[in-house]
């Protein structure tokens, strides 16, 4: 299973993937980051890649693992949510970034 997850957890803003993996801990077990997009553009994924509010992560793994990890990162985007991504990104940026 894979899910697109909108990063809206403010405590993750500006942190590297390494730092986020340490913070999320066991909740990330069995979950892999397949893609990362920022403002519609693909971002190269390395351990030092920084994550910002409004980024969209594509997480892959067993359904229960992905849902557990997604809850620590942000909001799972369901099919209908994808049309509202621009609004959500603007809202996230307006709330403190």
């Amino acid at each position: 299973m894979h899910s697109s997850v909108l990063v809206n957890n403010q405590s993750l803003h500006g942190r590297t993937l390494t730092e986020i993996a340490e913070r999320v801990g066991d909740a990330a077990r069995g979950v892999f980051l397949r893609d990362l997009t920022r403002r519609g553009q693909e971002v190269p994924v390395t351990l030092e890649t920084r994550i910002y509010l409004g980024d969209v992560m594509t997480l892959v793994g067993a359904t229960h693992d992905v849902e557990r990890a997604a809850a620590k990162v942000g909001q799972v985007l369901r099919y209908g949510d994808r049309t509202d991504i621009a609004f959500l990104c603007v809202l996230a940026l307006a709330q403190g970034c």
Side-chain angles (χ1 to χ4, degrees):
M1 177 220 171
H2 72 276
S3 288
S4 296
V5 179
L6 174 68
V7 178
N8 64 8
N9 180 337
Q10 291 188 0
S11 71
L12 304 181
H13 182 74
R15 298 196 181 276
T16 66
L17 286 172
T18 299
E19 293 170 323
I20 292 170
E22 290 170 358
R23 283 179 168 253
V24 173
D26 285 342
R29 189 173 309 273
V31 178
F32 303 92
L33 177 60
R34 186 177 79 185
D35 296 308
L36 176 67
T37 57
R38 180 174 299 136
R39 297 181 183 166
Q41 300 295 314
E42 190 169 329
V43 175
V45 176
T46 70
L47 293 176
E48 296 307 311
T49 299
R50 294 198 179 271
I51 302 300
Y52 299 99
L53 293 174
D55 286 356
V56 177
M57 297 178 160
T58 302
L59 302 180
V60 179
T63 300
H64 63 278
D65 291 336
V66 170
E67 288 176 355
R68 181 185 63 236
K72 299 281 188 177
V73 173
Q75 174 185 351
V76 174
L77 298 175
R78 307 287 182 215
Y79 178 73
D81 294 341
R82 293 171 195 231
T83 59
D84 296 329
I85 189 70
F87 173 76
L88 292 173
C89 289
V90 169
L91 181 63
L93 292 172
Q95 290 181 344
C97 294

